[in-house]
Amino acid sequence: MTQPSFILPEIADGEDKTSQVKNRIRKNYQHVRKWAKRCVTNCFRIYDRDIKEYPLAIDFYAGRFCIHFFSYEGDELSNELKDEIMKVLMDLFKAGPKDVFWRVRSKREKIEQYEKVAGKEQFFTVIEYGVKFLVNLTDYLDTGLFLDHRETRQMVASYAKGKSLLNLFAYTCSFSVQAAANGARYTKSVDLSNTYTAWGRDNFIVNDLSLDNNEIIRADCLKYLEYDAGSYDVIVIDPPTISRSKKMDQLFDIQTDYVSLIRHALQKLNPSGVIFFSTNSRKFRFDKTLFPGCTIQDITAKTIPLDFHNQKIHQCYLLKVSPAAFSTFSKVVAKD
Ligand SMILES: C[S@@+](CC[C@H](N)C(=O)[O-])C[C@H]1O[C@@H](n2cnc3c(N)ncnc32)[C@H](O)[C@@H]1O
């Protein structure tokens, strides 16, 4: 694959005595830019609730800005705050209003929603570790690429080199695309949504990755695991916290459903295989005693990227079956 070219704007040094938030964004950007240039990445976080009075996260996506306002106390996003941040981004990056996209995040949004919020179809390409991803900042609540899992994708890709990967709750297939671009022999991505499976397909295509050995399946993962005849070297399970869809029989709740999900996945694992399990739920508690015969490592700290200052953005676990216990997991024969 040819290495895509990309530009990371340089921004001027110099403290602004009138704006603490501007100084912080400058400092964060300049710090992460050095790393990003080295790692061929043009999408990253440049502000992460660093100052209490500014409850925002600002993500840089190839010259555009996605700003999350956290309204946990029920506060409204004021025009004053929007104007102030717009001015900061204009001063630092020469950004215009068409480059800035706001999202309001509320704790009350308990059930994850995936419907379209607009129909502008403004997709553009960003680059993460040299791999392209299609992002959309106008039409959906989420952008198509969860930046907090950048390092997890690298770990998964490294485990999956020359091997097979099953990506459950795949969304836009970013784990699979990063793995395939780094030499995974075969990937299978499963998600309930037609929109996101189509988006995932486009993510493979934009990287010139063949769809012959990168399958995408639209299905309910909980049901799919019961009839899938494949077996895999790496399985990624990164589900929503709570989800309800007309396409599902029942409500999905991570805290109750993770046990059956992981137990089913363990049955699909090849010898020496690994499961990456992750959740964005803060309340989630992983009970390791429920998986006898497995070694379970909390790899959260290793998977938090340098630009994320909130260490609780996700939890991540690596599961391996100890050789002695492997035969106790019922196995099915690999299809490919
Ligand atoms: C949090 S996102 C997953 C993020 C993804 N793992 C990534 O790293 O980009 C949740 C995804 O789960 C899908 N989903 C929700 N319930 C599902 C189910 N029962 N079976 C399959 N997919 C489901 C949604 O369509 C959505 O794409």
Side-chain angles (χ1 to χ4, degrees), residues 112 114 146 149 153 167-172 174-175 190-193 196 219-222 238-240 243 248 252 280:
E112 300 205 4
Y114 300 103
F146 289 109
H149 272 311
R153 281 187 282 275
N167 180 8
L168 298 171
F169 306 91
Y171 186 49
T172 57
S174 58
F175 277 108
V190 186
D191 197 279
L192 198 54
S193 153
Y196 298 136
D220 180 338
C221 289
L222 297 120
D238 178 29
S243 140
M248 287 162 60
F252 174 85
N280 290 92

Side-chain angles (χ1 to χ4, degrees), residues 147-153 155 276 278 298-306 308 311 313-317:
L147 300 182
D148 62 301
H149 272 311
R150 188 192 307 123
E151 300 312 322
T152 328
R153 281 187 282 275
M155 286 172 92
F276 284 83
S278 177
D298 183 341
I299 55 167
T300 306
K302 282 189 198 159
T303 63
I304 305 289
L306 83 166
F308 278 73
Q311 303 296 309
I313 185 82
H314 64 237
Q315 300 179 43
C316 201
Y317 299 87

Side-chain angles (χ1 to χ4, degrees), residues 271-298:
S272 313
V274 295
I275 294 180
F276 284 83
F277 172 81
S278 177
T279 174
N280 290 92
S281 167
R282 285 184 184 217
K283 288 195 200 134
F284 178 81
R285 293 289 166 265
F286 198 120
D287 183 350
K288 294 182 183 175
T289 63
L290 297 174
F291 305 96
C294 289
T295 54
I296 301 167
Q297 197 187 346
D298 183 341

Side-chain angles (χ1 to χ4, degrees), residues 251-262:
L251 181 83
F252 174 85
D253 181 331
I254 186 75
Q255 191 62 73
T256 44
D257 291 322
Y258 83 107
V259 183
S260 129
L261 204 49
I262 292 177

Side-chain angles (χ1 to χ4, degrees), residues 98-293:
K98 65 172 187 358
D99 304 317
V100 177
F101 303 85
W102 286 84
R103 298 274 197 283
V104 176
R105 302 271 173 185
S106 147
K107 231 181 195 169
R108 279 168 289 173
E109 264 175 40
K110 277 200 107 47
I111 302 221
E112 300 205 4
Q113 296 168 28
Y114 300 103
E115 293 89 35
K116 249 184 169 175
V117 292
K120 298 186 181 166
E121 299 290 329
Q122 288 173 358
F123 286 86
F124 62 100
T125 306
V126 299
I127 302 168
E128 177 186 278
Y129 282 110
V131 177
K132 297 179 197 169
F133 293 94
L134 292 165
V135 161
N136 182 319
L137 303 182
T138 51
D139 298 338
Y140 306 90
L141 286 176
D142 293 311
T143 64
L145 186 65
F146 289 109
L147 300 182
D148 62 301
H149 272 311
R150 188 192 307 123
E151 300 312 322
T152 328
R153 281 187 282 275
Q154 286 303 294
M155 286 172 92
V156 167
S158 133
Y159 268 92
K161 206 177 179 85
K163 297 189 175 153
S164 60
L165 164 72
L166 173 65
N167 180 8
L168 298 171
F169 306 91
Y171 186 49
T172 57
C173 302
S174 58
F175 277 108
S176 316
V177 170
Q178 190 61 259
N182 282 284
R185 176 176 54 79
Y186 168 83
T187 72
K188 184 188 277 180
S189 307
V190 186
D191 197 279
L192 198 54
S193 153
N194 280 319
T195 306
Y196 298 136
T197 48
W199 194 334
R201 202 161 288 124
D202 290 343
N203 274 333
F204 281 105
I205 292 169
V206 82
N207 286 289
D208 297 327
L209 293 165
S210 164
L211 293 169
D212 294 344
N213 54 339
N214 294 298
E215 271 190 79
I216 303 176
I217 311 249
R218 199 204 69 71
D220 180 338
C221 289
L222 297 120
K223 288 193 205 143
Y224 187 76
L225 278 176
E226 286 174 20
Y227 61 78
D228 177 34
S231 69
Y232 308 91
D233 300 310
V234 183
I235 301 180
V236 172
I237 311 175
D238 178 29
T241 300
I242 296 179
S243 140
R244 195 204 307 267
S245 158
K246 286 187 216 105
K247 297 173 201 141
M248 287 162 60
D249 291 342
Q250 61 206 46
L251 181 83
F252 174 85
D253 181 331
I254 186 75
Q255 191 62 73
T256 44
D257 291 322
Y258 83 107
V259 183
S260 129
L261 204 49
I262 292 177
R263 283 186 183 159
H264 275 95
L266 282 166
Q267 295 173 9
K268 309 274 174 230
L269 218 49
N270 285 333
S272 313
V274 295
I275 294 180
F276 284 83
F277 172 81
S278 177
T279 174
N280 290 92
S281 167
R282 285 184 184 217
K283 288 195 200 134
F284 178 81
R285 293 289 166 265
F286 198 120
D287 183 350
K288 294 182 183 175
T289 63
L290 297 174
F291 305 96

